[in-house]
Amino acid sequence: MVLILGSITLITAAYILATTNEFISITEAKKFACYCGVAPFEHTSGIRIKGKSRVSHKANKEVKTLFHMAALSSVRIKGDLQNYFHRKVAEGKNKMSVLNAIRNKLILRVFSCVNRNSIFQKNYKYNFAEP
């Protein structure tokens, strides 16, 4: 596994490798987000949505805690995630909801780096032609 720079530490990376069985049993980021208790679910009954979306309490709490600490440290470091946090809080979003979204972003970044077999590039340039 390629080590990802930033707020994902060696301990978090080791837990990710252990819980995903080295990305054999869990290969998709959304499934891992559900496993960690980061993905929100709606309370639906037919066509009616009851209340706001909530995360499941049936989660691996250790991995969720590690991603929470990674999200907190990424908010303290200047960068795109800190800008995202302050922008969403200024829009009126709940701080814990924004931290949960950052946890999900970190999971998506880890899985995209593993699937591409590359390191995380902060200043990624798209191959599209600019107008």
Side-chain angles (χ1 to χ4, degrees):
M1 178 182 155
V2 178
L3 180 63
I4 299 167
L5 301 174
S7 55
I8 302 294
T9 61
L10 286 174
I11 295 172
T12 307
Y15 266 88
I16 294 169
L17 284 173
T19 55
T20 60
N21 192 19
E22 296 179 0
F23 297 96
I24 295 172
S25 59
I26 300 176
T27 58
E28 297 176 23
K30 288 185 180 182
K31 289 182 181 180
F32 189 69
C34 290
Y35 176 77
C36 293
V38 174
F41 291 99
E42 297 177 339
H43 295 285
T44 59
S45 173
I47 57 172
R48 186 172 175 208
I49 299 174
K50 299 178 183 178
K52 61 182 180 178
S53 298
R54 298 179 189 268
V55 294
S56 176
H57 292 285
K58 299 176 183 176
N60 188 336
K61 304 285 185 182
E62 293 176 356
V63 180
K64 186 175 182 178
T65 302
L66 288 172
F67 273 105
H68 181 73
M69 298 309 287
L72 287 176
S73 68
S74 65
V75 167
R76 294 177 124 191
I77 301 170
K78 288 187 178 182
D80 56 342
L81 293 177
Q82 185 185 41
N83 296 337
Y84 176 80
F85 178 79
H86 290 303
R87 186 178 74 239
K88 288 297 182 180
V89 170
E91 290 175 4
K93 296 280 187 182
N94 188 352
K95 289 182 181 180
M96 284 305 293
S97 296
V98 179
L99 279 176
N100 193 43
I102 291 174
R103 281 186 254 172
N104 201 7
K105 284 179 180 287
L106 290 174
I107 290 172
L108 290 172
R109 286 181 181 184
V110 167
F111 273 80
S112 67
C113 288
V114 168
N115 290 337
R116 288 184 302 163
N117 196 19
S118 65
I119 61 172
F120 178 69
Q121 298 175 359
K122 194 175 246 184
N123 298 325
Y124 183 76
K125 298 199 180 195
Y126 295 100
N127 292 331
F128 300 123
E130 293 190 25

